[in-house]
Amino acid sequence: CRRVVGFDASEGMLSQAPPVAGISWQRAAAEALPLDDETVDLLTACNAMHWFDRLGFLREAERVLRPGAPLVVYE
């Protein structure tokens, strides 16, 4: 990967994110990611869907993912 970005809407959670080389952390809601259209090769959500407006997140995922790029949701 050339770029890995982790997002969370909570400053408290971001303050707990470990420093990892090559990963940046940003505050953002899953339904409003600060990413350009069709620029993401892989989008994942782990243990998080219960926090989201699911339809809003799925629309946002469709907007930011390149055509054919996977969305992986897991618990």
Side-chain angles (χ1 to χ4, degrees):
C1 297
R2 283 185 242 143
R3 181 175 176 211
V4 176
V5 182
F7 294 102
D8 201 293
S10 166
E11 282 294 336
M13 292 302 291
L14 289 171
S15 72
Q16 299 297 312
V20 178
I23 299 177
S24 64
W25 302 98
Q26 295 182 29
R27 185 171 184 210
E31 305 84 1
L33 298 171
L35 300 167
D36 292 333
D37 295 354
E38 298 184 357
T39 57
V40 175
D41 294 315
L42 170 66
L43 183 61
T44 67
C46 177
N47 295 324
M49 288 296 286
H50 61 280
W51 295 108
F52 303 161
D53 164 12
R54 290 182 182 164
L55 184 55
F57 169 66
L58 292 173
R59 286 183 181 137
E60 187 67 349
E62 183 176 34
R63 180 187 72 78
V64 301
L65 284 166
R66 293 182 195 280
L71 167 62
V72 179
V73 178
Y74 60 103
E75 298 291 327

